[in-house]
Amino acid sequence: MRDAELKGIGMTSRRTRDRLINRLAEQGIVSTDVLEVMREVPRHIFVDEALAQRAYEDTALPIGHNQTISQPYIVARMTEALMAGGALNKVLEVGTGSGYQTAVLAHLVKQVYSVERIQLLQEKARSRLRRLSLFNAHLKLSDGTMGWQGLAPFDGIMVTAAPGKVPLELLEQLSEKGGRLVIPVGDFHQELLLVVRHGQEFHQEVLELVRFVPMLSGVIR
């Protein structure tokens, strides 16, 4: 990808990104690591060209297949909550989507393993991540409710779609030594939860109210 395309112009320029980062800080995001990564990751390449001029608005945008790229504040909030316990080596992301959240995580943790149920979305995400030379992000076409059992346990798990309740399979794939799960849960009334595992005990905290697309099962090729 051309350097100029990554830097952006006009509504995708550095100045526009800076305004978004300032807004996130004003909304309570305090992690300088998270803010700097979100300043650098070119969100405009993760949406269709027709929406690129809106990429640095603090809003969710459609990416097709009834899915969205999450609002930047939510990306920052979830990432900050996941990283709050310290450096993470291995993270599972459930719901690759556009690949934007994957890219943010890939700058902050050693290895990201991301599962997606919609093949066309996964293919686009893989292409974008390769263009950014993010080779520590590993993608799998799979039903996200099952996680990635063969690679468990994970230091952190982030879920980008809302199940009705926390899937037991994901809890079981958390590291017993402080593994952290950030997940939206609920149908009409959704809460963003942080679950921390210590041995066989799970501490749960409600972070805030949210609105995500529902988590569905089954792979779409």
Side-chain angles (χ1 to χ4, degrees):
M1 178 175 290
R2 298 186 305 276
D3 187 59
E5 186 179 354
L6 293 179
K7 289 182 177 179
I9 58 173
M11 295 303 292
T12 63
S13 68
R14 179 73 177 215
R15 181 177 299 178
T16 305
R17 298 190 208 185
D18 287 345
R19 286 198 294 267
L20 172 62
I21 298 309
N22 291 339
R23 190 177 303 120
L24 296 180
E26 291 170 358
Q27 290 176 282
I29 303 302
V30 299
S31 170
T32 55
D33 288 341
V34 171
L35 290 172
E36 285 307 308
V37 166
M38 292 190 63
R39 190 195 310 274
E40 296 302 322
V41 174
R43 190 172 186 252
H44 61 277
I45 73 167
F46 291 89
V47 297
D48 290 340
E49 186 174 351
L51 293 172
Q53 298 300 310
R54 299 187 60 197
Y56 299 101
E57 296 177 9
D58 190 21
T59 186
L61 295 171
I63 57 173
H65 307 278
N66 296 316
Q67 305 296 305
T68 62
I69 180 173
S70 293
Q71 175 189 3
Y73 168 75
I74 291 297
V75 172
R77 182 75 169 97
M78 293 178 70
T79 305
E80 185 175 64
L82 191 73
M83 302 295 300
L88 302 176
N89 291 321
K90 188 165 63 172
V91 167
L92 171 67
E93 178 191 31
V94 178
T96 312
S98 69
Y100 176 66
Q101 176 71 82
T102 319
V104 171
L105 289 172
H107 280 86
L108 293 166
V109 306
K110 287 189 176 180
Q111 301 292 331
V112 181
Y113 298 90
S114 186
V115 295
E116 172 58 53
R117 60 184 289 270
I118 302 173
Q119 185 173 21
L120 289 177
L121 289 181
Q122 185 202 52
E123 291 172 353
K124 289 182 178 180
R126 177 177 283 113
S127 176
R128 292 161 177 154
L129 295 168
R130 285 176 177 172
R131 289 177 176 180
L132 294 175
S133 298
L134 294 174
F135 300 115
N136 63 328
H138 314 280
L139 308 187
K140 178 183 179 182
L141 187 67
S142 178
D143 184 337
T145 60
M146 305 305 293
W148 199 329
Q149 180 62 49
L151 294 175
F154 296 96
D155 301 314
I157 299 177
M158 180 181 290
V159 182
T160 61
K165 60 181 180 179
V166 179
L168 178 61
E169 291 82 1
L170 298 184
L171 292 174
E172 292 176 341
Q173 291 176 36
L174 277 177
S175 168
E176 295 183 8
K177 300 178 179 179
R180 300 171 72 85
L181 167 65
V182 179
I183 180 172
V185 175
D187 298 316
F188 298 106
H189 176 81
Q190 293 180 2
E191 296 177 330
L192 184 63
L193 304 181
L194 169 65
V195 182
V196 182
R197 181 178 186 180
H198 294 285
Q200 296 306 309
E201 294 185 0
F202 298 86
H203 172 74
Q204 179 174 300
E205 176 185 350
V206 177
L207 300 179
E208 58 186 87
L209 299 181
V210 290
R211 173 55 59 189
F212 277 77
V213 296
M215 176 182 283
L216 303 175
S217 61
V219 172
I220 300 177
R221 297 183 181 274

